[in-house]
Each structure stands twice: as structure tokens, then as C-alpha cells.
Amino acid sequence: MSILPHHKYPSNPLNHVRSCQFHTRVVCLATTTKPRPNPERLMVEPRSVTPPPLVTPTRPPLLDDPSLQSTWSHRAWVASGCTTVLISLAKSIWVAADSQIWFEPILAGLVGYILADLGSGVYHWGIDNYGDESTPIFGPQIEAFQGHHKWPWTITRRQFANNLHALARAVTFSVLPLDIACNDPVIHGFVGVCSGCIMFSQQFHSWAHGTKSKLPPLVVALQDLGVLVSRSEHAMHHRQPYNNNYCIVSGVWNEFLDEKKVFEVLEMVLFFKLGVRPRSWSEPGSEWTEETEAQSQFG
């Protein structure tokens, strides 16, 4: 490449800058013709897209952190959620006893229990992979769940109402209208069990992070029987590649959802339709690497 000035340098350097023209010769050292692509390599690589940022806090909460403590507002919401669920279950039992129809309400309750596990998995997958703390309505839970991957032990330090109040509030607004307007034992059998399992799913989640020796024997027995999600099963969710075992009520759906790659299919659909990339496609970084309680508190 050569650069040749058209005029001599003038006495004034600024005038030289204005008046100087340049002729540039560019030599191409390689052909611009692209080779024909290999048809077998023609595939979309969605992982190359920049992933959404994680929203984990920079430091873990301390054991006496106010964010882990229950407030009177939390307790009030949990009380209202439990009340609406108990009213629904009581109505189901009362009307079933009066009409001597037991099979349908019991079956409806069983269906509610099974679907609550599926619902917990779908919800858990969604807030793990999409959105951030600024997302309307779900922002605080998204931030909490993503921070949970960094410091999973903190869920065992949350007080009961602190852990359940967000779901209890949603259950209150959803179930209360049915308690007032409906007397069908089958509907209440389904709604009472399903909503109760959803509301307490965060407590089941907390128990799944607990130490066997510190859990109530009844909880350990229910975990071993598969009635509640087990500690070993949920532990897989906190290991690479962090994209499985999302269900946290009983975990009965986890094997099916993971083997059939249901969530992976949903991720591809959302990516190709909306251009949104889930966090599970990213290579796990420090944000997803679990820190133990000892490291966090004393490191």
C-alpha cells in the first residue's frame, strides 16, 4: 500500500490538513469468493447469541440478614393462603360426605397433586432461564431463584413465611373467588390439593436442600417414598448442565420431562419465534457455581 500527497506541504499545518488529498492503493491478498458450504454443516448455532445476564447478587445474605426473616406481612399472606386452601378442602369433604360421592373428589385431588408438580417444574424452568429483576410481577422471584444457584443453602435459612408468602398471595387471589362461588366437591378436591401443593412447593424445595439428620423423620420418609421431591433428585438440578430436575413438589415429572427433552424443545421454539435465548444454553460460569455455606460465611 502506498500513500502519496498530491501537493507539497504548505507553511500552515492546518491548511495542509484541509487541502491534502490522498491516493490509496489497496491490494487484495486473498480471494473474496467464499467456498461452498458443506450441507452437513448447515445448522443454526443459537448458542452463539449473547445470553441474558444473570442477576445474582454479589454477596450472599448473612444468617441474620433481614431478607431471610419473616415479616408480619409475610405471615398474613401465608395465613390467608392456608385459610383459602383449607376452606376449599373442607367444602370438598363436606359436600362429598353429604352426597356420598367420594371417588371423584379423591381422584380430582390426586390429579391436582400430579399437576402441581408439573406446574412447579414449568414455573421453575421459566424463572431460571428468562427475565431479570426488572421483569414485572415476577422480578423478585427471578432474582431470588437465580441467586439460589449460587448459594442454595440460603433457602434452608429462610423463615417459613418468608419462603412461602409470594405463592401464598397468588393462591389467595386465585382460590378465594372459588371458595365463595363454587360448591362442587370435585372442583374443590382438585383446587384444594393443587393450590396447597403449589403454595408449599417452596417448603418442599427447602427440605430438598436439608440435611437428613436435621429433617423431621416424617419428611424424610415422604422423600424416600417419592411423595415429596427427594434430596438426591433435586441435587442434580444444582450440577452441570443446570437444565434438568426442575419439578419441586414430588419430582414425579422430572424423568419424563428430561428424557423427552420437553424444556429443550420449548427453548428452541421460543428462540426461533421470539429470538430469546435461555440461560441454560450458556456455559456455566461463576454465577452458577455453588458456594458452600462455610465459604460464604467465613471465606
Side-chain angles (χ1 to χ4, degrees):
M1 177 182 293
S2 63
I3 302 177
L4 302 175
H6 188 66
H7 300 289
K8 293 183 178 180
Y9 288 103
S11 58
N12 189 336
L14 295 177
N15 292 334
H16 163 65
V17 173
R18 295 191 188 96
S19 62
C20 186
Q21 298 179 356
F22 296 95
H23 298 283
T24 304
R25 184 177 62 191
V26 179
V27 179
C28 295
L29 299 179
T31 179
T32 58
T33 304
K34 295 182 179 179
R36 293 186 63 184
N38 185 348
E40 295 181 356
R41 297 176 66 101
L42 286 176
M43 57 185 298
V44 178
E45 293 286 348
R47 292 177 184 267
S48 64
V49 182
T50 303
L54 288 166
V55 293
T56 53
T58 57
R59 295 181 63 85
L62 301 175
L63 295 182
D64 58 350
D65 195 292
S67 67
L68 302 178
Q69 309 299 312
S70 295
T71 66
W72 285 109
S73 175
H74 296 163
R75 297 184 182 97
W77 280 118
V78 171
S80 66
C82 290
T83 300
T84 56
V85 169
L86 289 174
I87 290 174
S88 183
L89 292 173
K91 274 195 167 186
S92 179
I93 295 172
W94 183 273
V95 178
D98 187 58
S99 61
Q100 294 299 307
I101 299 176
W102 291 103
F103 177 76
E104 290 85 352
I106 292 174
L107 180 61
L110 178 61
V111 172
Y113 164 73
I114 294 173
L115 291 184
D117 187 59
L118 176 61
S120 74
V122 173
Y123 186 75
H124 190 179
W125 162 76
I127 62 178
D128 260 11
N129 286 284
Y130 300 99
D132 55 31
E133 71 275 12
S134 63
T135 301
I137 301 175
F138 304 103
Q141 285 202 330
I142 292 173
E143 183 179 18
F145 264 75
Q146 290 172 15
H148 172 68
H149 276 269
K150 185 72 172 177
W151 303 293
W153 55 268
T154 56
I155 194 172
T156 65
R157 295 292 186 262
R158 287 189 180 276
Q159 292 186 351
F160 179 77
N162 180 293
N163 201 22
L164 269 62
H165 73 95
L167 291 173
R169 181 167 58 246
V171 166
T172 298
F173 287 122
S174 301
V175 178
L176 183 59
L178 290 173
D179 287 345
I180 297 172
C182 179
N183 291 314
D184 190 311
V186 177
I187 292 177
H188 280 295
F190 172 83
V191 170
V193 174
C194 185
S195 61
C197 288
I198 288 174
M199 183 174 68
F200 282 92
S201 63
Q202 272 295 81
Q203 185 59 47
F204 305 154
H205 186 189
S206 175
W207 286 333
H209 283 280
T211 304
K212 183 176 181 179
S213 60
K214 296 181 179 180
L215 292 174
L218 178 59
V219 170
V220 174
L222 292 175
Q223 289 177 336
D224 292 341
L225 291 172
V227 177
L228 300 180
V229 63
S230 68
R231 302 176 306 283
S232 59
E233 182 177 0
H234 185 67
M236 297 300 294
H237 177 69
H238 289 273
R239 298 172 188 165
Q240 293 186 14
Y242 307 101
N243 64 353
N244 53 60
N245 291 278
Y246 286 105
C247 300
I248 55 175
V249 173
S250 65
V252 69
W253 282 93
N254 281 328
E255 183 176 356
F256 172 83
L257 294 172
D258 295 339
E259 286 186 354
K260 302 301 181 182
K261 301 185 182 301
V262 173
F263 291 126
E264 293 184 26
V265 171
L266 289 175
E267 290 165 0
M268 294 299 293
V269 170
L270 290 175
F271 176 75
F272 285 114
K273 293 292 186 181
L274 303 177
V276 181
R277 185 175 186 265
R279 291 181 183 83
S280 62
W281 287 2
S282 306
E283 289 297 326
S286 60
E287 296 87 353
W288 292 95
T289 304
E290 176 180 343
E291 288 187 4
T292 63
E293 183 173 357
Q295 289 175 330
S296 300
Q297 295 297 317
F298 307 108

